[in-house]
Amino acid sequence: MTATGASEGVGARGAPVSGPWWWARRRSAVLDVVLAAASAVECAFEGARFASGAQLPELVGVLLGLLAGPVLLVRRRWPVVVVLVSIAVIPAEMGGLLSTVGLYTLAASDVPRRITGLLAGMTVAGTLVTTFLSLRQDVAAQEDFQPPVWLLPASSLAMGLVLTAPPVLWGLYVGARRRLVESLRERADGLERELSLLADRAEERAEWARNEERTRIAREMHDVVAHRVSLMVVHAAALQAVALKDPEKASKNAGLVGDMGRQALTELREMLGVLRTADGAAVRGAAASGAPERLAAVASRAGAQATVQARSPEASVVAESAGDGGPEGGAPVPATAAAEADSEGPHLAELGDLVGQSRAAGMVVELTVDGVAEGEPAAAAGQRYAPPVERTVYRVVQEALTNVHKHAPGARARVRLAHREGELAVQVENGPCEGGAADAGLPSGGNGLVGMRERVTALGGVFVSGPTEAGGFRVSAVLPAASAVS
């Protein structure tokens, strides 16, 4: 900052310095040059008059005025020097413009106020003394004029105040206004930076929310569709193996059902990969906004059809004929599927049905529940926990049983649910695959364990999975029951 409060490297409005030396703008330099020239002419004229009155060569007075007047060139850089020079030449009764401009510049600058007050007081004192002496000489020259005693001091004081107070007060006002404008500009710049940061953070939060939503949709689609379609493929394989009536046709139809299920899983896995990829973040607009709803509708419809096909071969024909209407045919989504999509999801009371579906597919599954109150069903004792907790436990068991169907056909499985104090624990463990069991040939993309871990850790739980010493596989999850409801 310079003595006037202006930045040395920045102009008055934040623009880069374009003037020479210490001037922020060229027009400021031109103004100071004009003021310095006018002051030099004034001081030279007044210096010549003073030298004549003091019986000195006029050239001395002119030279003194030419030395003192141009000091205004440095008023923006060294305002204190300008005021001191104007005080020094007060006895010579010169430098009126020099004193006025110097005091204004000093008051408008960032010079401490005590220095400004001190120099202004010195200017008033010098003007008072000089004026008083000059008036006394004039009065003494007129013998018939006898003014009151107080007139000369009062006139001298008034002259000093009139010549000093206006430029000082005006400079103080201009300086305060300049500092206020600079403060407001800095505040506006700060607000602009904060708004920019907030916009960046909002964009980051929006991107994070989109990624979370894509991951959630991928997880839900995997849990809802993969399990049911896997059961459909298992049933189709069993139908193909035990068909007695018209074996060739039954085997062909069952093979088609199995191929359809495998293709559905492959396509689902490709959609999951797209949803989990960050490259999909570039998709915006109406098409992107409607994608989650369409995917959820497809998942619900596919899950409902897979359940019907898994229960009876005859019903599968009806489901296949109804599925021809698909999304492109304009057929409405079944009411049961829509209700399932709109509900909060499965809960612990449905674990018995889930295990029953795996048993119907030929798997030997044992379900045990520890910590159930007397009189409650062994499946899960109703809605004892918050919906996210129960839904997560259900999905963990569902995906674990699906993995047994995929990777360990014919293996025995055990599902354990433990109601502990402050937490809910679940464990799904299967033995080794039996050698005589036929592999269903289900593809796997590795999203199941990832989805289970994400669900459990999102609720503050602990998830562990890995092979057992007996050659099987174990999945365990412990979730806090802090959000449990009575």
Side-chain angles (χ1 to χ4, degrees):
M1 303 291 289
T2 65
T4 61
S7 176
E8 292 185 3
V10 180
R13 295 189 179 183
V17 174
S18 59
W21 295 340
W22 53 80
W23 286 286
R25 295 181 299 273
R26 295 185 182 276
R27 65 179 182 181
S28 300
V30 173
L31 176 62
D32 288 352
V33 170
V34 172
L35 290 176
S39 177
V41 172
E42 178 198 13
C43 290
F45 177 76
E46 293 176 347
R49 187 178 58 183
F50 170 76
S52 176
Q55 297 181 356
L56 295 175
E58 292 185 359
L59 182 61
V60 175
V62 172
L63 291 177
L64 179 62
L66 293 178
L67 290 176
V71 176
L72 281 179
L73 285 173
V74 297
R75 70 183 184 93
R76 300 177 188 269
R77 188 69 171 179
W78 298 293
V80 175
V81 174
V82 176
V83 176
L84 290 175
V85 172
S86 68
I87 295 174
V89 298
I90 286 178
E93 298 182 355
M94 69 171 64
L97 179 62
L98 178 66
S99 176
T100 301
V101 177
L103 288 174
Y104 162 78
T105 305
L106 179 67
S109 68
D110 287 341
V111 174
R113 290 293 168 255
R114 62 179 182 275
I115 297 179
T116 302
L118 176 62
L119 294 178
M122 293 173 61
T123 303
V124 172
T127 304
L128 188 150
V129 172
T130 303
T131 304
F132 179 79
L133 294 177
S134 177
L135 290 176
R136 192 175 66 174
Q137 290 179 358
D138 293 340
V139 170
Q142 300 177 6
E143 299 179 355
D144 56 343
F145 180 66
Q146 297 295 330
V149 179
W150 56 266
L151 181 60
L152 294 182
S155 301
S156 302
L157 179 61
M159 181 64 68
L161 293 177
V162 167
L163 295 178
T164 305
V168 172
L169 294 178
W170 182 251
L172 291 175
Y173 166 75
V174 172
R177 183 176 179 275
R178 179 186 298 138
R179 284 186 289 272
L180 176 61
V181 171
E182 292 179 355
S183 175
L184 293 177
R185 184 180 296 112
E186 291 177 358
R187 184 178 301 178
D189 294 340
L191 290 177
E192 185 177 357
R193 288 191 296 269
E194 291 180 3
L195 289 177
S196 178
L197 291 176
L198 289 177
D200 294 340
R201 292 177 182 175
E203 181 63 25
E204 292 177 359
R205 287 195 296 268
E207 185 66 24
W208 175 84
R210 286 191 291 267
N211 292 334
E212 287 294 317
E213 185 65 14
R214 284 198 300 270
T215 303
R216 186 191 67 81
I217 294 174
R219 188 166 54 241
E220 290 292 335
M221 290 180 60
H222 183 276
D223 293 340
V224 171
V225 181
H227 177 74
R228 300 182 186 275
V229 177
S230 298
L231 291 179
M232 182 183 68
V233 176
V234 172
H235 278 291
L239 177 63
Q240 185 179 11
V242 301
L244 298 177
K245 188 177 181 179
D246 197 356
E248 182 178 357
K249 184 176 181 180
S251 176
K252 182 178 179 181
N253 291 339
L256 290 176
V257 173
D259 292 339
M260 291 172 56
R262 295 184 186 92
Q263 292 176 4
L265 284 177
T266 302
E267 294 174 356
L268 172 63
R269 192 161 291 107
E270 292 175 356
M271 287 188 292
L272 294 178
V274 172
L275 289 172
R276 288 182 180 274
T277 302
D279 296 340
V283 181
R284 298 291 188 268
S289 62
E293 290 76 5
R294 294 197 299 273
L295 291 175
V298 172
S300 300
R301 182 164 51 255
Q305 294 177 1
T307 302
V308 174
Q309 292 177 355
R311 289 180 178 175
S312 63
E314 293 80 3
S316 64
V317 178
V318 179
E320 183 177 356
S321 62
D324 294 338
E328 297 178 359
V333 179
T336 56
E340 180 180 354
D342 294 337
S343 64
E344 293 184 349
H347 46 81
L348 294 181
E350 300 178 8
L351 281 181
D353 297 337
L354 179 64
V355 172
Q357 294 175 7
S358 295
R359 289 172 179 169
M363 181 189 298
V364 179
V365 186
E366 177 185 356
L367 173 63
T368 59
V369 181
D370 300 333
V372 180
E374 184 178 357
E376 292 179 342
Q383 282 282 77
R384 294 185 54 187
Y385 301 91
V389 176
E390 298 201 0
R391 183 166 56 248
T392 300
V393 172
Y394 182 93
R395 296 304 188 192
V396 169
V397 175
Q398 183 185 57
E399 180 60 29
L401 293 178
T402 301
N403 288 339
V404 176
H405 283 292
K406 288 182 180 180
H407 308 295
R412 298 173 62 91
R414 183 180 181 184
V415 180
R416 297 182 58 186
L417 185 67
H419 300 274
R420 303 172 183 172
E421 183 178 358
E423 63 184 16
L424 177 63
V426 62
Q427 183 183 89
V428 181
E429 180 178 353
N430 64 275
C433 177
E434 296 184 1
D439 190 357
L442 291 170
S444 176
N447 292 320
L449 293 177
V450 175
M452 286 191 283
R453 184 180 302 277
E454 290 176 350
R455 284 182 177 274
V456 174
T457 55
L459 297 180
V462 178
F463 178 82
V464 179
S465 63
T468 62
E469 296 180 356
F473 200 82
R474 180 187 297 116
V475 172
S476 302
V478 179
L479 289 89
S483 58
V485 294
S486 57

